[in-house]
Amino acid sequence: MTARRPKAEIFEVGPRDGLQNQSRILGVEAREHFILSLLDAGLRDIEVGSFVREDRIPQLAGTQALLARLDKARSRYKKLSPRFWSFVPNRKGFSDALETSSDGFSFFIAASDTFCLRNVNRSQEDLFQELAQLLPAARKAKRLTRVYLSTVTYCPYEGPIRPAQVLRVVKKLVDLGAKEIALGDTTGHATPRDMERLLTPLLKVAPASRFAMHLHDTRGLSLANVCQSLEMGVSKFDSSAGGLGGCPYAPGAAGNLATEDLVYMLQQQDLLKADIDLAALARASHWLEAQLGSLLPSKVLKTLKG
Ligand code: MG
């Protein structure tokens, strides 16, 4: 790897994408403790909650109250300058999110129309029309934005997704002014060759800095896919502490790429931009294991026991 290659950045999704898939529900106080311990480990970009209906995803109930508590803690983390992100699924969620101090909003769409329908009960076209309004409105309100583009290589309902299909969606998102597009290998099917076939055309329509990779470790290939993405210049990666996660609408999908595994690999090669304290991160995940009453899948976390 050349010295000029940008160092990797991490977007922590555990408190949202991870916890929403757990059967045990944590209260606002426990989630705040977890998030503060992630800040203590040096993680700066954290997706802390979601403005979904609380009866639909009770695991993330009270996101508004959580953000108010986190806002009070900001002064303790001046140097880190944390960015608390929220998932915004629709217009109602958007107006609720605007009332909070959430620094960034993340939105959803999928390359597969069937996945859009099954996941949020909306067509892809409907989601595009909403994004055309919400992305500029978020920018006007001085919030950071990103769009999750799910099922970029494989859809649990439609099967393999062609790169041309993803390219069509990415072009539209770029036209709508999407600042960051997080490409989701939702089911963890992708190999490094799939990453290459996916990214080659995308990097002709937008710079690498515009993309993040949202990888799942279902088949143990997420770190290999990180390496391939880095080779191609994409340097932002979503991960979750301990490898928390899954997807209720993607049967068989395992957890997200584990932050500990990603941090270890990047640090050992001097490829990580931020100064992350891996031991502190492991303490946060071990604390969470006790709260959830189950072990998390991260391999590196298991080596850091005790
Ligand atoms: Mg995920």
PDB file of all heavy atoms in Angstrom, residues 101-136:
ATOM      1  N   SER A 101     -30.576  17.209  18.914  1.00  0.00           N
ATOM      2  CA  SER A 101     -29.255  17.736  18.558  1.00  0.00           C
ATOM      3  C   SER A 101     -28.445  16.716  17.755  1.00  0.00           C
ATOM      4  O   SER A 101     -27.224  16.820  17.672  1.00  0.00           O
ATOM      5  CB  SER A 101     -28.501  18.095  19.835  1.00  0.00           C
ATOM      6  OG  SER A 101     -28.380  16.915  20.622  1.00  0.00           O
ATOM      7  N   SER A 102     -29.110  15.737  17.169  1.00  0.00           N
ATOM      8  CA  SER A 102     -28.415  14.724  16.369  1.00  0.00           C
ATOM      9  C   SER A 102     -27.605  15.417  15.262  1.00  0.00           C
ATOM     10  O   SER A 102     -28.151  16.198  14.489  1.00  0.00           O
ATOM     11  CB  SER A 102     -29.446  13.775  15.761  1.00  0.00           C
ATOM     12  OG  SER A 102     -28.805  12.733  15.081  1.00  0.00           O
ATOM     13  N   ASP A 103     -26.306  15.097  15.195  1.00  0.00           N
ATOM     14  CA  ASP A 103     -25.428  15.789  14.248  1.00  0.00           C
ATOM     15  C   ASP A 103     -25.648  15.358  12.811  1.00  0.00           C
ATOM     16  O   ASP A 103     -25.445  16.127  11.889  1.00  0.00           O
ATOM     17  CB  ASP A 103     -23.961  15.518  14.605  1.00  0.00           C
ATOM     18  CG  ASP A 103     -23.639  15.944  16.004  1.00  0.00           C
ATOM     19  OD1 ASP A 103     -23.495  17.153  16.230  1.00  0.00           O
ATOM     20  OD2 ASP A 103     -23.559  15.071  16.895  1.00  0.00           O
ATOM     21  N   GLY A 104     -26.014  14.090  12.649  1.00  0.00           N
ATOM     22  CA  GLY A 104     -26.164  13.556  11.299  1.00  0.00           C
ATOM     23  C   GLY A 104     -27.364  12.637  11.199  1.00  0.00           C
ATOM     24  O   GLY A 104     -27.751  11.996  12.164  1.00  0.00           O
ATOM     25  N   PHE A 105     -27.948  12.620   9.988  1.00  0.00           N
ATOM     26  CA  PHE A 105     -29.110  11.766   9.733  1.00  0.00           C
ATOM     27  C   PHE A 105     -28.720  10.733   8.682  1.00  0.00           C
ATOM     28  O   PHE A 105     -28.099  11.075   7.668  1.00  0.00           O
ATOM     29  CB  PHE A 105     -30.280  12.580   9.176  1.00  0.00           C
ATOM     30  CG  PHE A 105     -30.829  13.635  10.108  1.00  0.00           C
ATOM     31  CD1 PHE A 105     -31.714  14.591   9.625  1.00  0.00           C
ATOM     32  CD2 PHE A 105     -30.483  13.674  11.461  1.00  0.00           C
ATOM     33  CE1 PHE A 105     -32.246  15.572  10.452  1.00  0.00           C
ATOM     34  CE2 PHE A 105     -31.007  14.656  12.308  1.00  0.00           C
ATOM     35  CZ  PHE A 105     -31.885  15.606  11.799  1.00  0.00           C
ATOM     36  N   SER A 106     -29.119   9.484   8.904  1.00  0.00           N
ATOM     37  CA  SER A 106     -28.905   8.474   7.871  1.00  0.00           C
ATOM     38  C   SER A 106     -30.248   7.978   7.352  1.00  0.00           C
ATOM     39  O   SER A 106     -31.196   7.812   8.110  1.00  0.00           O
ATOM     40  CB  SER A 106     -28.040   7.329   8.395  1.00  0.00           C
ATOM     41  OG  SER A 106     -28.447   6.917   9.664  1.00  0.00           O
ATOM     42  N   PHE A 107     -30.284   7.792   6.032  1.00  0.00           N
ATOM     43  CA  PHE A 107     -31.512   7.411   5.337  1.00  0.00           C
ATOM     44  C   PHE A 107     -31.325   6.040   4.683  1.00  0.00           C
ATOM     45  O   PHE A 107     -30.201   5.554   4.572  1.00  0.00           O
ATOM     46  CB  PHE A 107     -31.857   8.458   4.272  1.00  0.00           C
ATOM     47  CG  PHE A 107     -32.040   9.845   4.826  1.00  0.00           C
ATOM     48  CD1 PHE A 107     -30.977  10.760   4.843  1.00  0.00           C
ATOM     49  CD2 PHE A 107     -33.261  10.246   5.342  1.00  0.00           C
ATOM     50  CE1 PHE A 107     -31.144  12.037   5.361  1.00  0.00           C
ATOM     51  CE2 PHE A 107     -33.438  11.536   5.854  1.00  0.00           C
ATOM     52  CZ  PHE A 107     -32.383  12.429   5.873  1.00  0.00           C
ATOM     53  N   PHE A 108     -32.421   5.476   4.208  1.00  0.00           N
ATOM     54  CA  PHE A 108     -32.369   4.115   3.649  1.00  0.00           C
ATOM     55  C   PHE A 108     -32.952   4.032   2.248  1.00  0.00           C
ATOM     56  O   PHE A 108     -33.965   4.658   1.937  1.00  0.00           O
ATOM     57  CB  PHE A 108     -33.147   3.155   4.566  1.00  0.00           C
ATOM     58  CG  PHE A 108     -33.482   1.833   3.915  1.00  0.00           C
ATOM     59  CD1 PHE A 108     -32.555   0.802   3.893  1.00  0.00           C
ATOM     60  CD2 PHE A 108     -34.721   1.630   3.303  1.00  0.00           C
ATOM     61  CE1 PHE A 108     -32.855  -0.413   3.274  1.00  0.00           C
ATOM     62  CE2 PHE A 108     -35.029   0.414   2.679  1.00  0.00           C
ATOM     63  CZ  PHE A 108     -34.091  -0.604   2.671  1.00  0.00           C
ATOM     64  N   ILE A 109     -32.287   3.242   1.423  1.00  0.00           N
ATOM     65  CA  ILE A 109     -32.868   2.777   0.158  1.00  0.00           C
ATOM     66  C   ILE A 109     -32.148   1.469  -0.166  1.00  0.00           C
ATOM     67  O   ILE A 109     -31.103   1.176   0.427  1.00  0.00           O
ATOM     68  CB  ILE A 109     -32.725   3.833  -0.983  1.00  0.00           C
ATOM     69  CG1 ILE A 109     -33.701   3.528  -2.122  1.00  0.00           C
ATOM     70  CG2 ILE A 109     -31.282   3.929  -1.477  1.00  0.00           C
ATOM     71  CD1 ILE A 109     -33.922   4.691  -3.085  1.00  0.00           C
ATOM     72  N   ALA A 110     -32.696   0.688  -1.071  1.00  0.00           N
ATOM     73  CA  ALA A 110     -32.017  -0.559  -1.452  1.00  0.00           C
ATOM     74  C   ALA A 110     -31.938  -0.660  -2.962  1.00  0.00           C
ATOM     75  O   ALA A 110     -32.779  -0.095  -3.676  1.00  0.00           O
ATOM     76  CB  ALA A 110     -32.754  -1.767  -0.880  1.00  0.00           C
ATOM     77  N   ALA A 111     -30.926  -1.377  -3.438  1.00  0.00           N
ATOM     78  CA  ALA A 111     -30.797  -1.601  -4.879  1.00  0.00           C
ATOM     79  C   ALA A 111     -31.947  -2.467  -5.372  1.00  0.00           C
ATOM     80  O   ALA A 111     -32.369  -2.367  -6.517  1.00  0.00           O
ATOM     81  CB  ALA A 111     -29.445  -2.258  -5.188  1.00  0.00           C
ATOM     82  N   SER A 112     -32.443  -3.327  -4.496  1.00  0.00           N
ATOM     83  CA  SER A 112     -33.542  -4.230  -4.842  1.00  0.00           C
ATOM     84  C   SER A 112     -34.882  -3.625  -4.417  1.00  0.00           C
ATOM     85  O   SER A 112     -35.080  -3.279  -3.254  1.00  0.00           O
ATOM     86  CB  SER A 112     -33.317  -5.572  -4.132  1.00  0.00           C
ATOM     87  OG  SER A 112     -34.538  -6.154  -3.736  1.00  0.00           O
ATOM     88  N   ASP A 113     -35.797  -3.504  -5.374  1.00  0.00           N
ATOM     89  CA  ASP A 113     -37.116  -2.939  -5.073  1.00  0.00           C
ATOM     90  C   ASP A 113     -37.865  -3.830  -4.081  1.00  0.00           C
ATOM     91  O   ASP A 113     -38.542  -3.339  -3.172  1.00  0.00           O
ATOM     92  CB  ASP A 113     -37.907  -2.783  -6.383  1.00  0.00           C
ATOM     93  CG  ASP A 113     -39.176  -1.952  -6.192  1.00  0.00           C
ATOM     94  OD1 ASP A 113     -39.143  -0.979  -5.416  1.00  0.00           O
ATOM     95  OD2 ASP A 113     -40.203  -2.287  -6.809  1.00  0.00           O
ATOM     96  N   THR A 114     -37.734  -5.145  -4.242  1.00  0.00           N
ATOM     97  CA  THR A 114     -38.418  -6.068  -3.323  1.00  0.00           C
ATOM     98  C   THR A 114     -37.932  -5.865  -1.891  1.00  0.00           C
ATOM     99  O   THR A 114     -38.718  -5.915  -0.945  1.00  0.00           O
ATOM    100  CB  THR A 114     -38.171  -7.537  -3.743  1.00  0.00           C
ATOM    101  OG1 THR A 114     -38.360  -7.652  -5.143  1.00  0.00           O
ATOM    102  CG2 THR A 114     -39.101  -8.489  -3.002  1.00  0.00           C
ATOM    103  N   PHE A 115     -36.628  -5.632  -1.726  1.00  0.00           N
ATOM    104  CA  PHE A 115     -36.094  -5.421  -0.374  1.00  0.00           C
ATOM    105  C   PHE A 115     -36.655  -4.126   0.232  1.00  0.00           C
ATOM    106  O   PHE A 115     -36.960  -4.073   1.423  1.00  0.00           O
ATOM    107  CB  PHE A 115     -34.559  -5.396  -0.392  1.00  0.00           C
ATOM    108  CG  PHE A 115     -33.963  -5.536   0.987  1.00  0.00           C
ATOM    109  CD1 PHE A 115     -33.904  -6.770   1.626  1.00  0.00           C
ATOM    110  CD2 PHE A 115     -33.469  -4.419   1.658  1.00  0.00           C
ATOM    111  CE1 PHE A 115     -33.370  -6.887   2.898  1.00  0.00           C
ATOM    112  CE2 PHE A 115     -32.934  -4.534   2.938  1.00  0.00           C
ATOM    113  CZ  PHE A 115     -32.886  -5.778   3.561  1.00  0.00           C
ATOM    114  N   CYS A 116     -36.813  -3.080  -0.595  1.00  0.00           N
ATOM    115  CA  CYS A 116     -37.439  -1.835  -0.106  1.00  0.00           C
ATOM    116  C   CYS A 116     -38.837  -2.142   0.424  1.00  0.00           C
ATOM    117  O   CYS A 116     -39.209  -1.719   1.517  1.00  0.00           O
ATOM    118  CB  CYS A 116     -37.556  -0.805  -1.232  1.00  0.00           C
ATOM    119  SG  CYS A 116     -35.990  -0.187  -1.860  1.00  0.00           S
ATOM    120  N   LEU A 117     -39.593  -2.911  -0.365  1.00  0.00           N
ATOM    121  CA  LEU A 117     -40.983  -3.225   0.022  1.00  0.00           C
ATOM    122  C   LEU A 117     -41.033  -4.057   1.299  1.00  0.00           C
ATOM    123  O   LEU A 117     -41.817  -3.790   2.198  1.00  0.00           O
ATOM    124  CB  LEU A 117     -41.690  -3.962  -1.124  1.00  0.00           C
ATOM    125  CG  LEU A 117     -41.994  -3.092  -2.350  1.00  0.00           C
ATOM    126  CD1 LEU A 117     -42.352  -3.954  -3.563  1.00  0.00           C
ATOM    127  CD2 LEU A 117     -43.135  -2.126  -2.055  1.00  0.00           C
ATOM    128  N   ARG A 118     -40.158  -5.069   1.392  1.00  0.00           N
ATOM    129  CA  ARG A 118     -40.191  -5.954   2.560  1.00  0.00           C
ATOM    130  C   ARG A 118     -39.626  -5.272   3.811  1.00  0.00           C
ATOM    131  O   ARG A 118     -40.045  -5.543   4.924  1.00  0.00           O
ATOM    132  CB  ARG A 118     -39.378  -7.234   2.295  1.00  0.00           C
ATOM    133  CG  ARG A 118     -39.896  -8.079   1.167  1.00  0.00           C
ATOM    134  CD  ARG A 118     -41.125  -8.897   1.589  1.00  0.00           C
ATOM    135  NE  ARG A 118     -41.508  -9.819   0.540  1.00  0.00           N
ATOM    136  CZ  ARG A 118     -41.264 -11.134   0.575  1.00  0.00           C
ATOM    137  NH1 ARG A 118     -40.672 -11.667   1.621  1.00  0.00           N
ATOM    138  NH2 ARG A 118     -41.608 -11.903  -0.434  1.00  0.00           N
ATOM    139  N   ASN A 119     -38.645  -4.396   3.620  1.00  0.00           N
ATOM    140  CA  ASN A 119     -37.950  -3.785   4.752  1.00  0.00           C
ATOM    141  C   ASN A 119     -38.735  -2.612   5.331  1.00  0.00           C
ATOM    142  O   ASN A 119     -38.916  -2.519   6.541  1.00  0.00           O
ATOM    143  CB  ASN A 119     -36.554  -3.326   4.300  1.00  0.00           C
ATOM    144  CG  ASN A 119     -35.620  -3.047   5.459  1.00  0.00           C
ATOM    145  OD1 ASN A 119     -35.945  -3.307   6.611  1.00  0.00           O
ATOM    146  ND2 ASN A 119     -34.468  -2.506   5.178  1.00  0.00           N
ATOM    147  N   VAL A 120     -39.224  -1.722   4.467  1.00  0.00           N
ATOM    148  CA  VAL A 120     -39.927  -0.534   4.970  1.00  0.00           C
ATOM    149  C   VAL A 120     -41.314  -0.352   4.355  1.00  0.00           C
ATOM    150  O   VAL A 120     -41.952   0.680   4.549  1.00  0.00           O
ATOM    151  CB  VAL A 120     -39.082   0.758   4.779  1.00  0.00           C
ATOM    152  CG1 VAL A 120     -37.869   0.735   5.691  1.00  0.00           C
ATOM    153  CG2 VAL A 120     -38.648   0.956   3.335  1.00  0.00           C
ATOM    154  N   ASN A 121     -41.759  -1.376   3.571  1.00  0.00           N
ATOM    155  CA  ASN A 121     -43.088  -1.349   2.985  1.00  0.00           C
ATOM    156  C   ASN A 121     -43.291  -0.153   2.037  1.00  0.00           C
ATOM    157  O   ASN A 121     -44.364   0.446   1.994  1.00  0.00           O
ATOM    158  CB  ASN A 121     -44.144  -1.340   4.101  1.00  0.00           C
ATOM    159  CG  ASN A 121     -45.497  -1.827   3.604  1.00  0.00           C
ATOM    160  OD1 ASN A 121     -45.566  -2.540   2.602  1.00  0.00           O
ATOM    161  ND2 ASN A 121     -46.561  -1.416   4.279  1.00  0.00           N
ATOM    162  N   ARG A 122     -42.217   0.204   1.328  1.00  0.00           N
ATOM    163  CA  ARG A 122     -42.291   1.331   0.385  1.00  0.00           C
ATOM    164  C   ARG A 122     -41.567   0.897  -0.889  1.00  0.00           C
ATOM    165  O   ARG A 122     -40.620   0.132  -0.829  1.00  0.00           O
ATOM    166  CB  ARG A 122     -41.536   2.558   0.950  1.00  0.00           C
ATOM    167  CG  ARG A 122     -41.824   2.891   2.412  1.00  0.00           C
ATOM    168  CD  ARG A 122     -42.871   3.950   2.553  1.00  0.00           C
ATOM    169  NE  ARG A 122     -42.515   5.166   1.864  1.00  0.00           N
ATOM    170  CZ  ARG A 122     -41.792   6.155   2.425  1.00  0.00           C
ATOM    171  NH1 ARG A 122     -41.333   6.042   3.658  1.00  0.00           N
ATOM    172  NH2 ARG A 122     -41.546   7.249   1.765  1.00  0.00           N
ATOM    173  N   SER A 123     -41.995   1.438  -2.018  1.00  0.00           N
ATOM    174  CA  SER A 123     -41.289   1.115  -3.257  1.00  0.00           C
ATOM    175  C   SER A 123     -40.010   1.945  -3.335  1.00  0.00           C
ATOM    176  O   SER A 123     -39.875   2.978  -2.663  1.00  0.00           O
ATOM    177  CB  SER A 123     -42.173   1.420  -4.479  1.00  0.00           C
ATOM    178  OG  SER A 123     -42.306   2.821  -4.615  1.00  0.00           O
ATOM    179  N   GLN A 124     -39.085   1.485  -4.184  1.00  0.00           N
ATOM    180  CA  GLN A 124     -37.833   2.226  -4.357  1.00  0.00           C
ATOM    181  C   GLN A 124     -38.127   3.638  -4.885  1.00  0.00           C
ATOM    182  O   GLN A 124     -37.510   4.613  -4.443  1.00  0.00           O
ATOM    183  CB  GLN A 124     -36.937   1.449  -5.327  1.00  0.00           C
ATOM    184  CG  GLN A 124     -35.525   1.963  -5.407  1.00  0.00           C
ATOM    185  CD  GLN A 124     -34.799   1.336  -6.570  1.00  0.00           C
ATOM    186  OE1 GLN A 124     -35.214   1.437  -7.722  1.00  0.00           O
ATOM    187  NE2 GLN A 124     -33.706   0.660  -6.257  1.00  0.00           N
ATOM    188  N   GLU A 125     -39.078   3.737  -5.826  1.00  0.00           N
ATOM    189  CA  GLU A 125     -39.418   5.032  -6.411  1.00  0.00           C
ATOM    190  C   GLU A 125     -39.957   5.990  -5.339  1.00  0.00           C
ATOM    191  O   GLU A 125     -39.596   7.173  -5.297  1.00  0.00           O
ATOM    192  CB  GLU A 125     -40.439   4.828  -7.534  1.00  0.00           C
ATOM    193  CG  GLU A 125     -40.707   6.063  -8.371  1.00  0.00           C
ATOM    194  CD  GLU A 125     -39.430   6.789  -8.812  1.00  0.00           C
ATOM    195  OE1 GLU A 125     -38.462   6.121  -9.230  1.00  0.00           O
ATOM    196  OE2 GLU A 125     -39.405   8.035  -8.721  1.00  0.00           O
ATOM    197  N   ASP A 126     -40.783   5.457  -4.469  1.00  0.00           N
ATOM    198  CA  ASP A 126     -41.346   6.235  -3.368  1.00  0.00           C
ATOM    199  C   ASP A 126     -40.215   6.759  -2.462  1.00  0.00           C
ATOM    200  O   ASP A 126     -40.205   7.932  -2.048  1.00  0.00           O
ATOM    201  CB  ASP A 126     -42.299   5.304  -2.597  1.00  0.00           C
ATOM    202  CG  ASP A 126     -43.115   6.044  -1.551  1.00  0.00           C
ATOM    203  OD1 ASP A 126     -43.225   7.271  -1.651  1.00  0.00           O
ATOM    204  OD2 ASP A 126     -43.632   5.370  -0.636  1.00  0.00           O
ATOM    205  N   LEU A 127     -39.228   5.887  -2.185  1.00  0.00           N
ATOM    206  CA  LEU A 127     -38.103   6.294  -1.324  1.00  0.00           C
ATOM    207  C   LEU A 127     -37.259   7.375  -2.007  1.00  0.00           C
ATOM    208  O   LEU A 127     -36.809   8.320  -1.365  1.00  0.00           O
ATOM    209  CB  LEU A 127     -37.244   5.082  -0.960  1.00  0.00           C
ATOM    210  CG  LEU A 127     -37.904   4.074  -0.003  1.00  0.00           C
ATOM    211  CD1 LEU A 127     -37.089   2.798   0.094  1.00  0.00           C
ATOM    212  CD2 LEU A 127     -38.078   4.692   1.396  1.00  0.00           C
ATOM    213  N   PHE A 128     -37.065   7.236  -3.327  1.00  0.00           N
ATOM    214  CA  PHE A 128     -36.322   8.274  -4.060  1.00  0.00           C
ATOM    215  C   PHE A 128     -37.004   9.634  -3.929  1.00  0.00           C
ATOM    216  O   PHE A 128     -36.362  10.654  -3.716  1.00  0.00           O
ATOM    217  CB  PHE A 128     -36.230   7.918  -5.552  1.00  0.00           C
ATOM    218  CG  PHE A 128     -35.009   7.123  -5.921  1.00  0.00           C
ATOM    219  CD1 PHE A 128     -35.122   5.930  -6.609  1.00  0.00           C
ATOM    220  CD2 PHE A 128     -33.733   7.577  -5.591  1.00  0.00           C
ATOM    221  CE1 PHE A 128     -34.006   5.187  -6.950  1.00  0.00           C
ATOM    222  CE2 PHE A 128     -32.611   6.855  -5.931  1.00  0.00           C
ATOM    223  CZ  PHE A 128     -32.747   5.654  -6.617  1.00  0.00           C
ATOM    224  N   GLN A 129     -38.335   9.611  -4.104  1.00  0.00           N
ATOM    225  CA  GLN A 129     -39.076  10.881  -4.042  1.00  0.00           C
ATOM    226  C   GLN A 129     -38.953  11.527  -2.670  1.00  0.00           C
ATOM    227  O   GLN A 129     -38.832  12.738  -2.551  1.00  0.00           O
ATOM    228  CB  GLN A 129     -40.539  10.646  -4.409  1.00  0.00           C
ATOM    229  CG  GLN A 129     -40.713  10.443  -5.905  1.00  0.00           C
ATOM    230  CD  GLN A 129     -42.147  10.126  -6.298  1.00  0.00           C
ATOM    231  OE1 GLN A 129     -43.070  10.351  -5.527  1.00  0.00           O
ATOM    232  NE2 GLN A 129     -42.315   9.598  -7.500  1.00  0.00           N
ATOM    233  N   GLU A 130     -38.971  10.680  -1.635  1.00  0.00           N
ATOM    234  CA  GLU A 130     -38.836  11.227  -0.281  1.00  0.00           C
ATOM    235  C   GLU A 130     -37.427  11.771  -0.047  1.00  0.00           C
ATOM    236  O   GLU A 130     -37.245  12.853   0.539  1.00  0.00           O
ATOM    237  CB  GLU A 130     -39.170  10.148   0.742  1.00  0.00           C
ATOM    238  CG  GLU A 130     -39.317  10.700   2.136  1.00  0.00           C
ATOM    239  CD  GLU A 130     -39.957   9.681   3.057  1.00  0.00           C
ATOM    240  OE1 GLU A 130     -39.219   8.858   3.623  1.00  0.00           O
ATOM    241  OE2 GLU A 130     -41.184   9.695   3.183  1.00  0.00           O
ATOM    242  N   LEU A 131     -36.415  11.017  -0.520  1.00  0.00           N
ATOM    243  CA  LEU A 131     -35.024  11.485  -0.359  1.00  0.00           C
ATOM    244  C   LEU A 131     -34.803  12.821  -1.061  1.00  0.00           C
ATOM    245  O   LEU A 131     -34.038  13.664  -0.583  1.00  0.00           O
ATOM    246  CB  LEU A 131     -34.046  10.443  -0.913  1.00  0.00           C
ATOM    247  CG  LEU A 131     -33.799   9.212  -0.042  1.00  0.00           C
ATOM    248  CD1 LEU A 131     -32.985   8.166  -0.801  1.00  0.00           C
ATOM    249  CD2 LEU A 131     -33.077   9.616   1.244  1.00  0.00           C
ATOM    250  N   ALA A 132     -35.484  13.008  -2.197  1.00  0.00           N
ATOM    251  CA  ALA A 132     -35.340  14.262  -2.951  1.00  0.00           C
ATOM    252  C   ALA A 132     -35.771  15.455  -2.109  1.00  0.00           C
ATOM    253  O   ALA A 132     -35.326  16.577  -2.327  1.00  0.00           O
ATOM    254  CB  ALA A 132     -36.146  14.185  -4.243  1.00  0.00           C
ATOM    255  N   GLN A 133     -36.642  15.205  -1.138  1.00  0.00           N
ATOM    256  CA  GLN A 133     -37.071  16.298  -0.252  1.00  0.00           C
ATOM    257  C   GLN A 133     -36.248  16.348   1.041  1.00  0.00           C
ATOM    258  O   GLN A 133     -35.865  17.410   1.500  1.00  0.00           O
ATOM    259  CB  GLN A 133     -38.543  16.117   0.106  1.00  0.00           C
ATOM    260  CG  GLN A 133     -39.440  16.202  -1.109  1.00  0.00           C
ATOM    261  CD  GLN A 133     -40.902  16.052  -0.745  1.00  0.00           C
ATOM    262  OE1 GLN A 133     -41.249  15.426   0.247  1.00  0.00           O
ATOM    263  NE2 GLN A 133     -41.764  16.622  -1.566  1.00  0.00           N
ATOM    264  N   LEU A 134     -35.996  15.159   1.613  1.00  0.00           N
ATOM    265  CA  LEU A 134     -35.366  15.136   2.943  1.00  0.00           C
ATOM    266  C   LEU A 134     -33.874  15.455   2.914  1.00  0.00           C
ATOM    267  O   LEU A 134     -33.360  16.088   3.851  1.00  0.00           O
ATOM    268  CB  LEU A 134     -35.612  13.788   3.633  1.00  0.00           C
ATOM    269  CG  LEU A 134     -37.085  13.447   3.911  1.00  0.00           C
ATOM    270  CD1 LEU A 134     -37.197  12.171   4.732  1.00  0.00           C
ATOM    271  CD2 LEU A 134     -37.811  14.595   4.617  1.00  0.00           C
ATOM    272  N   LEU A 135     -33.157  15.038   1.866  1.00  0.00           N
ATOM    273  CA  LEU A 135     -31.708  15.327   1.834  1.00  0.00           C
ATOM    274  C   LEU A 135     -31.435  16.832   1.837  1.00  0.00           C
ATOM    275  O   LEU A 135     -30.650  17.317   2.659  1.00  0.00           O
ATOM    276  CB  LEU A 135     -31.035  14.636   0.640  1.00  0.00           C
ATOM    277  CG  LEU A 135     -30.769  13.132   0.788  1.00  0.00           C
ATOM    278  CD1 LEU A 135     -30.335  12.532  -0.549  1.00  0.00           C
ATOM    279  CD2 LEU A 135     -29.702  12.858   1.854  1.00  0.00           C
ATOM    280  N   PRO A 136     -32.081  17.609   0.930  1.00  0.00           N
ATOM    281  CA  PRO A 136     -31.847  19.059   0.996  1.00  0.00           C
ATOM    282  C   PRO A 136     -32.354  19.697   2.281  1.00  0.00           C
ATOM    283  O   PRO A 136     -31.724  20.623   2.803  1.00  0.00           O
ATOM    284  CB  PRO A 136     -32.607  19.616  -0.216  1.00  0.00           C
ATOM    285  CG  PRO A 136     -33.233  18.486  -0.921  1.00  0.00           C
ATOM    286  CD  PRO A 136     -32.888  17.213  -0.238  1.00  0.00           C
TER     287      PRO A 136
END
